Amino acid sequence: MDEKIRLSIGARLREERERLGMSQTSFAELGDVSLRAEQDWERGNSAPKADFLAVAATHGVDVLYVLTGQRTPKTAASLSQEQQALLDNYDHADEEGRAAARRVLSSLAKQKTG
């Protein structure tokens, strides 16, 4: 495998691990691999095998993103409980409440990007 590809996969794997709030040790333990193997993946020295990625996916890792850099589109089944609760609250709000929620979220998103 090309070194540039391994480095990209390693960087995205680390990003996903950090997004999930996991240490390298706990991440390695997901798939019963050594800490050294996990560190080698993040450094781009090697790449994770499919069996590890399959297990990682069940713990919230976006495997498509790790491999390609393209995020998996969100579906109702892939939402976290917190995200689903937000959508449920939005669905049960009246139109005035929905409009207020859109304004708040729009404002927060602008602050983050600005």
Side-chain angles (χ1 to χ4, degrees), residues 15-99:
E15 185 180 336
E16 282 294 280
R17 176 182 60 76
E18 290 175 346
R19 179 182 66 80
L20 295 171
M22 299 181 78
S23 68
Q24 287 180 319
T25 300
S26 61
F27 197 66
E29 289 171 353
L30 289 180
D32 196 29
V33 300
S34 70
L35 174 60
R36 173 75 185 251
E38 198 283 333
Q39 291 170 335
D40 282 345
W41 298 338
E42 289 189 10
R43 289 185 189 115
N45 295 334
S46 60
K49 293 184 179 182
D51 55 349
F52 176 85
L53 293 172
V55 170
T58 66
H59 289 85
V61 173
D62 186 344
V63 173
L64 180 64
Y65 176 68
V66 170
L67 295 175
T68 68
Q70 300 293 314
R71 288 276 178 201
T72 300
K74 289 281 186 182
T75 64
S78 69
L79 296 177
S80 70
Q81 288 181 341
E82 182 180 31
Q83 291 167 327
Q84 188 60 54
L86 286 168
L87 288 176
D88 289 344
N89 289 339
Y90 182 85
D91 287 342
H92 290 96
D94 61 15
E95 186 50 42
E96 184 179 335
R98 289 180 185 181

